[in-house]
Amino acid sequence: MNHRTTILTVSVLAVIAIVGGVVYVGWPARPILQRKSPVGVSTVVLPPDPGEAGKATLEGIDSDGDGVRDDVQRYIALTYPESERTRAALTQQIIVDQNVLLNAKNNQELEVVAQSIADVQNCMAYIFGSVLEARKIRKQLEEEIFNTPERIEAWELANKHLIRQQVTSARTGNKKSRCSFNPDEMRN
């Protein structure tokens, strides 16, 4: 099925994208309240673009408290508007990555996060059809995740510990069950 993408700039403050019947709204000045959508149209409400303020700290800005930095949440929604499953898998990946970054100096917490790393790797492989395809998409996301020297340094520090722990994605059960969401309940 072919989807046509239409992007309509309403003003300098609002951007609306309609992709395959899904309406995406971003508002840099303040978050938009979610409104009832017409039948057959779902709305994804994006947090405001944090701009350079989102790079000022390791944590960044997560204005809606969902565990995903606003800049990365916006990137995922606007880059993958056609697939709810893809957005959910990448959101799970980002939450794990953010936990790794924030716990880079805490080896005990990293050991707890290690199983989440294995789970998200399995989930991504299930959603994208193979480990190779999951890695390719993950690689594209890294530029958004590790966008400051502080974040790169934290990632490298955490990985030194995780490599010593020999984290592996081998775990019993199917890969779909490692997703923090049910892919079968999503339209696409």
Side-chain angles (χ1 to χ4, degrees), residues 101 104 146 149 151-161 163:
L101 288 177
F146 312 120
R151 291 174 183 151
I152 292 168
E153 183 179 319
W155 185 255
E156 289 172 353
L157 177 64
N159 274 309
K160 286 178 186 175
H161 176 75
I163 288 170

Side-chain angles (χ1 to χ4, degrees), residues 9 19 22-23 26 34-35 39 41 61 64 81 100 120 122 124 163 170 183-184 186:
T9 302
V19 181
V22 179
V23 179
Q34 189 163 358
R35 308 233 190 272
V39 176
V41 176
I61 296 174
D64 58 8
V100 170
V120 77
N122 278 304
M124 294 271 288
I163 288 170
D184 297 336
M186 298 178 166

Side-chain angles (χ1 to χ4, degrees), residues 82-177:
E82 72 289 342
S83 177
E84 189 176 6
R85 284 185 195 106
T86 296
R87 291 190 308 274
L90 294 176
T91 296
Q92 181 177 345
Q93 177 71 62
I94 295 303
I95 290 170
V96 170
D97 289 344
Q98 188 73 357
N99 282 330
V100 170
L101 288 177
L102 297 178
N103 291 296
K105 295 179 180 176
N106 185 335
N107 290 346
Q108 287 180 309
E109 281 300 315
L110 283 175
E111 289 174 24
V112 172
V113 174
Q115 189 54 58
S116 298
I117 294 169
D119 288 345
V120 77
Q121 288 172 347
N122 278 304
C123 176
M124 294 271 288
Y126 174 77
I127 296 300
F128 299 113
S130 72
V131 172
L132 242 50
E133 188 62 24
R135 285 184 183 154
K136 184 174 110 182
I137 291 172
R138 169 78 167 76
K139 193 77 172 154
Q140 295 168 354
L141 194 57
E142 285 181 2
E143 189 173 317
E144 301 300 318
I145 302 167
F146 312 120
N147 60 352
T148 68
E150 183 182 18
R151 291 174 183 151
I152 292 168
E153 183 179 319
W155 185 255
E156 289 172 353
L157 177 64
N159 274 309
K160 286 178 186 175
H161 176 75
L162 291 170
I163 288 170
R164 281 195 304 269
Q165 297 302 314
Q166 297 182 348
V167 173
T168 175
S169 61
R171 185 170 164 174
T172 59
N174 69 36
K175 292 179 183 206
K176 178 174 80 171
S177 70

Side-chain angles (χ1 to χ4, degrees), residues 1-9 15-24 77-83 87:
M1 169 172 30
N2 288 335
H3 290 289
R4 201 172 84 213
T5 302
T6 304
I7 297 178
L8 169 66
T9 302
V15 177
I16 299 172
I18 303 170
V19 181
V22 179
V23 179
Y24 298 87
L78 295 172
T79 304
Y80 301 98
E82 72 289 342
S83 177
R87 291 190 308 274

